Amino acid sequence: MKTDIRAFTFDKLNSELSSLGLPAFRTKQIFKWLHQYGCSSFDEMTNISKALRAQLEERFYIGSCYVEDKYVSSIDGTVKYLFRLHDGEYIESVIMKYKYGYTICVSSQVGCKMGCTFCASAIAGFKRNLTAGEIEVQLIAAQKDLNIKISHIVLMGIGEPLDNFDNLIDFLNNVNNPDGLNISMRNITVSTCGIVPNIYRLIDYNLQLTLTVSLHASNDNIRSRTMPVSRKYSIDELLSACKVYAEKTGRRVSFEYTLIKGVNDSAENAKELSLRLKGMLCHVNLIPVNDVKESGNISCSREEILKFQNILKRNGINATIRRTLGADINASCGQLRRLKKRGEIDENCC
Ligand code: SAH
């Protein structure tokens, strides 16, 4: 069985190559081909001999992804890809243009085990973890296709990044490497539904990235109705971990709060949330729930969201309302893979 050579960190690549008898300078050369130039075959590595390329080919493959479908929003230019992996599985990525540059939202797993009721990723089922190389190659493929340089990464696509912890860490290491894509940790956001022990593991790495926590409720009772993970880790345990994260890293924790009509949107919910977050270095992102047909969830109106935001603000909690990008292309993740599995295709595909 071949392994994905793009999934190796620099150190791991070095030990693999030295066990083949290669000198250390080869590691840097090959690492650059894989991560900085984003090659997808060993034949592209023109400064290494054909014999060595054949030797590498025998042992490794280069984790790559192929554009299966591509959607471009006519409203704001947001681009969404359905990528096919080497084993025929599908993942999604979204590229958004902001004033400060391009941001990519990447998938971390094929499907998701977490089972959040409002999320399309859960409906299509879990298949496998992505390798660190497969998380990174989404950036490489999008950059090549659009001829752009991506400066920011959010791990908010399909999957739960903290459920693929080791590969996440290797991916972060590699994209941050100056001989790779050289993306600053400060430009990376990891979003989690709240796997508490792995938040503590992340704290131990003391990385300067932004932690975003999908909270979506002000108490355990409501949270357990939409997010099964909360039956394992209570909201208090989760918020304690977030406090430690903020204290240890000095970075503000972000909370995602998707407003669902009649579920988590009352004035009492806003007050309860304010009390829970009081004194924490944090920020709340209010999101109108995206309609996923099977879920039956109803979105709140703009006025209702503003009302919720005002209560948080009056109670000293920093809160903004998420701008919706790519509204015409099903840009929230999980929706395309789900359609593909059903043999359907989105009408906006180009
Ligand atoms: N598993 C991670 C990252 C993937 S989901 C997490 O849970 O954070 C990225 C974000 O989109 C999460 O905040 C998730 O709760 C939210 N989300 C999923 N489905 C949604 C929907 N239908 N409407 C609005 N937000 C949704």
Side-chain angles (χ1 to χ4, degrees):
M1 267 260 280
K2 291 188 190 183
T3 41
D4 178 4
I5 191 170
R6 215 196 304 265
F8 297 151
T9 57
F10 189 90
D11 290 347
K12 173 80 172 130
L13 181 67
N14 197 43
S15 69
E16 289 281 336
L17 296 183
S18 70
S19 73
L20 297 178
L22 297 180
F25 78 91
R26 286 288 181 214
T27 307
K28 191 159 173 163
Q29 259 179 351
I30 294 171
F31 189 89
K32 278 191 169 190
W33 278 116
L34 294 168
H35 301 279
Q36 197 172 81
Y37 311 126
C39 71
S40 50
S41 82
F42 291 107
D43 284 339
E44 290 172 52
M45 301 181 178
T46 47
N47 59 357
I48 63 174
S49 70
K50 275 198 170 153
L52 176 52
R53 283 185 242 160
Q55 204 183 350
L56 295 173
E57 181 92 59
E58 244 173 55
R59 288 176 168 73
F60 309 112
Y61 73 96
I62 303 179
S64 303
C65 62
Y66 311 92
V67 179
E68 177 78 9
D69 294 330
K70 176 179 172 184
Y71 304 81
V72 182
S73 165
S74 52
I75 304 171
D76 51 48
T78 296
V79 180
K80 178 154 188 173
Y81 291 103
L82 181 70
F83 286 125
R84 187 169 28 82
L85 301 170
H86 72 100
D87 59 353
E89 292 297 340
Y90 296 107
I91 50 168
E92 298 172 30
S93 321
V94 182
I95 303 9
M96 294 152 287
K97 191 172 183 207
Y98 291 101
K99 274 192 237 104
Y100 49 78
Y102 288 96
T103 295
I104 187 166
C105 171
V106 293
S107 297
S108 55
Q109 296 178 311
V110 180
C112 189
K113 292 179 217 159
M114 298 299 124
C116 302
T117 57
F118 44 80
C119 184
S121 302
I123 298 168
F126 176 79
K127 204 58 193 238
R128 66 174 176 87
N129 281 331
L130 294 185
T131 67
E134 287 172 327
I135 306 176
E136 183 187 359
V137 80
Q138 299 167 60
L139 250 109
I140 292 169
Q143 287 196 154
K144 278 195 180 159
D145 186 59
L146 298 171
N147 198 21
I148 56 167
K149 172 85 181 96
I150 291 168
S151 57
H152 290 67
I153 305 170
V154 296
L155 283 119
M156 283 194 184
I158 297 174
E160 166 52 44
L162 295 191
D163 185 41
N164 186 13
F165 192 86
D166 295 337
N167 293 347
L168 169 73
I169 296 295
D170 288 352
F171 159 75
L172 293 171
N173 237 308
N174 283 346
V175 283
N176 188 231
N177 192 313
D179 289 322
L181 290 166
N182 196 18
I183 294 181
S184 155
M185 283 291 172
R186 289 178 170 269
N187 290 1
I188 302 176
T189 297
V190 173
S191 183
T192 179
C193 63
I195 300 183
V196 172
N198 288 354
I199 295 179
Y200 285 108
R201 281 175 79 193
L202 192 62
I203 291 169
D204 288 339
Y205 283 88
N206 198 17
L207 303 172
Q208 282 294 297
L209 48 80
T210 301
L211 179 70
T212 290
V213 173
S214 301
L215 200 58
H216 305 318
S218 56
N219 60 49
D220 285 322
N221 189 16
I222 299 175
R223 201 159 188 265
S224 64
R225 279 161 59 193
T226 52
M227 301 183 72
V229 70
S230 73
R231 291 178 212 142
K232 206 157 178 194
Y233 310 110
S234 72
I235 204 163
D236 287 337
E237 286 173 283
L238 175 57
L239 294 180
S240 296
C242 295
K243 273 188 193 130
V244 177
Y245 187 92
E247 281 158 16
K248 283 264 173 78
T249 62
R251 310 272 306 158
R252 187 174 82 165
V253 175
S254 230
F255 292 104
E256 306 278 288
Y257 196 104
T258 294
L259 283 154
I260 308 173
K261 209 180 176 78
V263 175
N264 60 3
D265 63 330
S266 71
E268 285 67 39
N269 297 148
K271 284 177 204 149
E272 190 176 31
L273 182 64
S274 310
L275 275 177
R276 283 215 139 90
L277 300 184
K278 210 158 196 82
M280 197 193 301
L281 182 62
C282 73
H283 170 262
V284 177
N285 222 334
L286 297 171
I287 311 162
V289 71
N290 242 307
D291 285 337
V292 174
K293 280 190 200 84
E294 289 88 335
S295 72
N297 288 323
I298 304 170
S299 190
C300 292
S301 68
R302 178 92 193 155
E303 290 66 40
E304 287 163 329
I305 300 176
L306 281 169
K307 224 171 104 188
F308 199 93
Q309 182 192 26
N310 280 333
I311 300 175
L312 294 182
K313 281 184 165 174
R314 273 207 308 275
N315 286 288
I317 307 295
N318 202 322
T320 49
I321 301 173
R322 159 86 51 86
R323 188 158 65 101
T324 309
L325 289 176
D328 54 337
I329 55 164
N330 257 340
S332 77
C333 272
Q335 309 202 38
L336 297 181
R337 175 171 175 259
R338 185 177 54 113
L339 287 176
K340 198 81 191 175
K341 283 191 72 169
R342 291 216 228 108
E344 295 171 26
I345 192 159
D346 191 282
E347 61 202 16
N348 297 305
C349 185
C350 57

